[in-house]
Amino acid sequence: MELDTVTAFTPVASLAGGILIGLSAVMVMAIFGRIAGISGITRGALGAITGGPDARWRIGFVVGLLAAPFAYALWAGDLPAQTVPGNLPAMAAAGLIVGTGTAIGSGCTSGHGVCGLARLSPRSLAAVATFMGTAIVTVFVLRHLI
Amino acid sequence: MNPILGLLSGLVFGLGLVVSGMADPAKVLNFLDLFGTWDPSLAFVMAGATVTAHVGYRLVWRRAAPLRMPEFDLPSARAIDAPLLTGAALFGLGWGIGGFCPGPALTALPLAAPGTLVFVPAMLAGLWMGGRAKSAMTHRKGPAT
């Protein structure tokens, strides 16, 4: 993918944002007693996981995620800047693979990454090592071999 | 009340994604590009999030139950099995192509970049298909994970 723009190293903002993500995971545990895994929350919000008492807060959570750029703009004065790959067939394939993979693997960067590692789960550590590994190899192949 | 508390949690999560730079695929792909234009920022996101959650979980688990549900419901699966590793490997492949994992893709959706508008519906379809594939696998092999 032709997107090798250099991005600025932002340790302070990234650490601060990471702490917010961690706080949200703690809120979900304190309030609902659940793991804040976005792939699972999204499946729950879509009704792909049996409804029950969790469907409603999960829909609320997804709405909150969608509202975040606007909340950020209220505070920062501008919508967040981003550079999204423009190869649309590749993005469609990537989305399909990410959705399928996180559903089969029971989690993504949030559920296995943040929450699973925070719980010191060996299963999540194996998942994180696997997806970090294949992601790094994928970027290497796409940027440096092809 | 629960949808509002869920919305607040999602808002904090999404703000974290935006502030940290995770919602920008260029930054994610540069984090993964160890041998090119490497940007180590996202290691700070993971560290901040994981340590905060680790400490916070321990404080929360001192209570008998969460505030709005009868009990804590933590994943019970322990096995490092084929669905886990296959799914994670696939996820890494897609993450490396698009630079989006599920949370940042959803948060970036209202910014309406063409790549995001294509990625998210495909991801939702994948989540549905993957769920069907996984239940087929687990029904064949025994208890659900």
Side-chain angles (χ1 to χ4, degrees):
Chain A
M1 194 131 315
E2 296 308 319
L3 199 85
D4 25 12
T5 30
V6 176
T7 49
F9 176 48
T10 54
V12 176
S14 289
L15 188 66
I19 290 171
L20 283 176
I21 294 169
L23 279 177
S24 168
V26 175
M27 287 168 74
V28 170
M29 186 60 70
I31 299 169
F32 304 111
R34 301 290 191 270
I35 290 293
I38 307 302
S39 52
I41 287 173
T42 307
R43 292 178 61 219
L46 287 173
I49 298 175
T50 33
D54 286 301
R56 285 158 57 81
W57 76 259
R58 285 179 166 138
I59 291 168
F61 191 99
V62 171
V63 173
L65 273 182
L66 294 169
F70 304 111
Y72 173 87
L74 284 179
W75 161 64
D78 236 327
L79 287 169
Q82 54 164 196
T83 313
V84 180
N87 182 336
L88 299 185
M91 288 306 276
L96 196 62
I97 299 169
V98 164
T100 311
T102 53
I104 294 177
S106 313
C108 56
T109 350
S110 47
H112 282 312
V114 176
C115 302
L117 296 186
R119 292 169 59 231
L120 309 178
S121 154
R123 185 173 142 86
S124 288
L125 181 61
V128 172
T130 304
F131 68 64
M132 288 295 302
T134 54
I136 288 168
V137 169
T138 302
V139 170
F140 183 78
V141 170
L142 292 177
R143 285 194 172 179
H144 303 291
L145 294 186
I146 294 181
Chain B
M1 192 64 188
N2 284 359
I4 294 175
L5 292 169
L7 188 147
L8 277 176
S9 309
L11 193 61
V12 173
F13 200 104
L15 279 173
L17 291 172
V18 170
V19 169
S20 67
M22 277 283 320
D24 181 0
K27 220 163 159 55
V28 173
L29 292 171
N30 277 343
F31 173 67
L32 297 170
D33 191 5
L34 299 183
F35 308 99
T37 49
W38 192 46
D39 175 358
S41 304
L42 295 200
F44 289 75
V45 186
M46 284 307 286
T50 308
V51 171
T52 303
H54 180 78
V55 174
Y57 278 180
R58 262 138 199 85
L59 296 174
V60 166
W61 288 336
R62 288 183 187 173
R63 302 179 55 95
L67 299 172
R68 305 285 305 173
M69 293 287 166
E71 56 195 358
F72 292 108
D73 183 10
L74 301 178
S76 55
R78 291 278 175 275
I80 297 174
D81 51 12
L84 178 82
L85 297 179
T86 313
L90 276 175
F91 164 45
L93 172 67
W95 195 33
I97 296 172
F100 271 138
C101 49
L106 289 173
T107 285
L109 185 63
L111 300 174
T116 316
L117 295 178
V118 168
F119 184 97
V120 169
M123 178 181 86
L124 298 179
L127 282 169
W128 182 79
M129 282 169 31
R132 309 258 309 182
K134 190 181 153 202
S135 43
M137 277 184 225
T138 46
H139 285 168
R140 211 178 321 128
K141 285 189 185 160
T145 50

